[in-house]
Amino acid sequence: MYDNTFPNKRFKHTVEFLKQHVDTSQSILDLGVENPLSEILKSNGYSVENTSGIDLDVNTSEIENSKNEVVTAFEIFEHLLSPFTVLKSIKANKLVASIPMRLWFSSAYRSKTDMRDRHYHEFEDWQFDWLLEKAGWKIIATEKWTNPTKKIGIRPILRWFKPRYYIVYAERVSNSKS
């Protein structure tokens, strides 16, 4: 997944945002398999459990059965066909989630070799906010950042100015499954 590049800037922003909103004493269920960011969170004192890699569009049992106090989802929801269902299945009262934002000058990401490494959704911030609110979450804090590259061209120049990542801290408004 990170063969040619390692997203140091994204990981740094993510950890800093998490530290502002989640205490290390709170247990975390991180949606997605264990990855370098999971290890970074653990090295920063967080207790992190990851989902096993099951298809969360089809099976949310690991989320529903979790006793963790916080759920994190870092660049996961854009891969799901039905992120609404996953958001509704969360029992924890706190959520920290980030997405790569839709870039009007670039088509949706699609790996040709890994069926699970594709973006079904390319969210704008207002769309992600709406999804969270409709699923019963109240947004408490948000942040955006750019992801410039050292390449030459129109798109790389735009990446210096157009925010690429959006992160949200939200709290459960209602545990109802309606």
Side-chain angles (χ1 to χ4, degrees):
M1 177 179 222
Y2 299 114
D3 293 336
N4 299 323
T5 60
F6 195 77
N8 291 314
K9 180 179 180 181
R10 177 168 56 93
F11 287 175
K12 180 177 177 267
H13 278 282
T14 300
V15 171
E16 287 173 2
F17 187 85
L18 191 68
K19 284 181 178 181
Q20 292 173 32
H21 303 287
V22 176
D23 190 85
T24 56
S25 66
Q26 297 173 302
S27 61
I28 295 174
L29 174 66
D30 184 35
L31 303 186
V33 296
E34 195 166 319
N35 59 73
L37 182 55
S38 310
E39 293 305 314
I40 292 169
L41 295 178
K42 289 175 185 175
S43 73
N44 276 271
Y46 288 99
S47 171
V48 180
E49 173 188 349
N50 285 83
T51 54
S52 67
I54 60 171
D55 186 341
L56 296 175
D57 277 318
V58 177
N59 183 348
T60 58
S61 62
E62 290 181 16
I63 300 167
E64 293 169 5
N65 296 327
S66 172
K67 302 288 187 225
N68 290 294
E69 300 160 275
V70 179
V71 169
T72 57
F74 304 120
E75 286 80 54
I76 293 296
F77 290 123
E78 67 276 8
H79 298 276
L80 299 176
L81 300 180
S82 184
F84 180 81
T85 304
V86 171
L87 286 163
K88 290 292 281 183
S89 71
I90 296 171
K91 300 286 190 267
N93 289 321
K94 294 183 177 185
L95 172 69
V96 179
S98 62
I99 55 162
M101 294 179 65
R102 179 181 174 277
L103 298 173
W104 55 269
F105 54 86
S106 183
S107 57
Y109 173 74
R110 182 178 95 183
S111 168
K112 297 192 187 305
T113 58
D114 184 351
M115 288 290 289
R116 297 181 85 174
D117 191 21
R118 297 177 175 185
H119 291 184
Y120 185 78
H121 299 279
E122 291 279 324
F123 295 102
E124 293 183 37
D125 55 356
W126 70 267
Q127 292 171 305
F128 193 59
D129 290 353
W130 186 24
L131 172 66
L132 291 169
E133 290 164 0
K134 188 124 177 140
W137 296 92
K138 179 181 179 187
I139 296 166
I140 308 297
T142 66
E143 190 177 304
K144 296 178 191 175
W145 64 89
T146 60
N147 190 42
T149 66
K150 294 179 181 173
K151 296 178 183 176
I152 298 173
I154 302 277
R155 288 181 182 183
I157 289 171
L158 292 171
R159 289 180 190 272
W160 282 89
F161 305 102
K162 176 75 172 134
R164 177 62 173 144
Y165 293 101
Y166 181 58
I167 194 165
V168 172
Y169 167 64
E171 294 180 355
R172 166 88 44 217
V173 173
S174 153
N175 276 323
S176 69
K177 290 267 189 176
S178 56

